[in-house]
Amino acid sequence: MAFRLSPRCLHLSSKARDVAAVVLMPNRRSASTAPTQASNLPQATMDDIRREASLPNADPSAESATAGLVNGHVPYMVATYVRPPPMFEKGEGCYLWDVENRRYLDFTAGIAVNALGHCDPGMSNLLAQQGRTLIHTSNLYHNPWTGELSKLMIDKTRASGSMQAASKAFICNSGSEANEAALKFARKVGKVLDPSRHKHEILSFHNSFHGRTMGSLSATPNPKYQAPFSPILPGFKYGHFNDIASLSSLITKNTCGVIIEPIQGEGGVNVATPQFLQALRTRCNDVGAVLIFDEIQCGLSRTGTLWAHQHLPESAHPDILTTAKALGNGFPIGATLVNEDVAQKIVTGDHGTTFGGNPLACRLAHYCFSRLSDPELQAGVLAKEKVFRRHFDELRNRFPNIVKEVRGRGLMLGLQLGRDPAPLVTAARERGLLVITCGKDTLRFVPPLVISENEIEEGMGVLEEAMRVVFKEGDEITGTDSSGDAQEPRRGLVS
């Protein structure tokens, strides 16, 4: 892959050459302690030079070309995120390159989206081909790919041993929209079963994340997300994850639906026990409530099976299954799969979408789903999980006061730390590795499913070095957490 660099991108390197005679460059892998001769350069510039010399992928400085681009854009963008300094412009496989040609190994996959890696060649070819054929018609008309995708998803889901009652699919544009559809469908089922409209309550669970639109937000009991937009929609109740004893009081005759992530992503990579999911199914059956599995992050082979609930008996399967993220490998699309009992209660006009099911998105998703449902790929996910876990065990031995627990399945793994991981995220990034956090003090590992074992070895080597710096050397590092909240500069932590 070829890259071009503008003169602006090289300005700091030029400064470094100008003062090469007066600055003694330290070893790239160690903190800068070299003495300097007198210089008329500003101290901030000298600090930038030392930082770039000491780190393989030092974050772009305030005077960099990247900062110039960012500062030119910020006035025109709603401030919904606080982003770290790099600006990415190219990707291939498991790597990203920023505008200054720094390369990063990506253990985040766009938050579990790019399961096939960045710029998958087959997907790129189809994108160009379908873009020249037909992009959008609206749902007022038929197109070949909405139906083909729906059929593929239903057939493959049943064949995998997952959701045996899967019958029909609603195609939309995102995970939040897929969950909105699921919540609306549950409400509609409740009204059909109880015309008095008392059967309208929906149960979700603490530490869940179902989206940011008002319905899915109401099912996401996190004050950070809900408080700015309160009051939330009425009729939502919240329970504790894996607490079987509370279900009989939480799920009543007024409950129309229960929504749960079989593995919570944003909440900390928390795995629901088979017993809890079975108890949910049983209680929903008792009161006539719809059971919704949100597999937007944990589905599509991320755990080594097509769906994360695949290990459950049919008696614990959901009525509704939602998906998105990896379904389009970066192209916006989501889907809501329902059983026949739910489908029969949804009639023309109950729900809809302008862009959902367009031929471009559906053709790409058909390709992605076909690739992700491959048993060979799924077996590879399980093999790579073992590589990660071996390294996690080594880190736990090396940092016994820092590494507390490993959670998750397949390539959806959480490393629970005893300290704030934000400085570690920054230290890893400045050494060429992208990782994100979730829950409380948890590193989240959701790399592309096509990552090689050599790339895992490379990334874990970088992570170990970053941990050694943050938890041993006491460097001051500024971090940015997974939700885009800026962290104040702080001293490194000692284990």
Side-chain angles (χ1 to χ4, degrees), residues 348-429:
T348 301
D350 278 349
H351 195 47
T353 170
T354 297
F355 297 109
N358 69 76
L360 176 58
C362 287
R363 187 173 185 187
L364 295 176
H366 189 280
Y367 167 83
C368 293
F369 195 93
S370 298
R371 289 276 308 277
L372 294 172
S373 58
D374 179 10
E376 185 175 345
L377 179 142
Q378 294 163 359
V381 168
L382 297 176
K384 294 164 193 175
E385 175 188 3
K386 294 178 181 178
V387 180
F388 270 109
R389 286 186 177 272
R390 173 169 54 81
H391 281 283
F392 292 157
D393 289 341
E394 293 171 0
L395 290 177
R396 182 182 291 177
N397 291 334
R398 189 175 183 89
F399 303 95
N401 296 326
I402 300 297
V403 178
K404 301 299 183 181
E405 183 185 10
V406 179
R407 297 188 295 273
R409 298 208 315 265
L411 291 179
M412 183 177 179
L413 298 169
L415 190 66
Q416 181 68 56
L417 303 182
R419 309 288 175 85
D420 177 10
L424 180 57
V425 170
T426 299
R429 183 178 65 246

Side-chain angles (χ1 to χ4, degrees), residues 213-224:
T213 49
M214 282 306 292
S216 58
L217 177 64
S218 298
T220 301
N222 186 329
K224 180 174 72 171

Side-chain angles (χ1 to χ4, degrees), residues 179 191 241 271 360 377 394:
N179 282 338
K191 287 182 170 51
F241 202 65
V271 182
L360 176 58
L377 179 142
E394 293 171 0

Side-chain angles (χ1 to χ4, degrees), residues 7 43 48 145 150 155 199 230 309 321 347 373 382 410 436 445 447 471:
Q43 184 62 45
D48 286 341
W145 289 105
S150 299
D155 289 347
K199 195 175 186 64
S230 61
H309 72 273
L321 178 66
V347 299
S373 58
L382 297 176
I436 54 176
F445 297 82
F471 299 130

Side-chain angles (χ1 to χ4, degrees), residues 5 11 48 96-97 154 172 206 295 333 394 401 462 494:
L5 287 175
H11 79 289
D48 286 341
L96 288 168
W97 284 261
I154 297 300
C172 53
H206 292 289
E295 295 213 23
I333 188 169
E394 293 171 0
N401 296 326
V462 174
V494 179

Side-chain angles (χ1 to χ4, degrees), residues 30 37 219 244 281 311 314 352 410:
S30 63
Q37 301 178 19
I244 295 176
R281 175 74 274 174
H311 64 289
E314 185 176 349

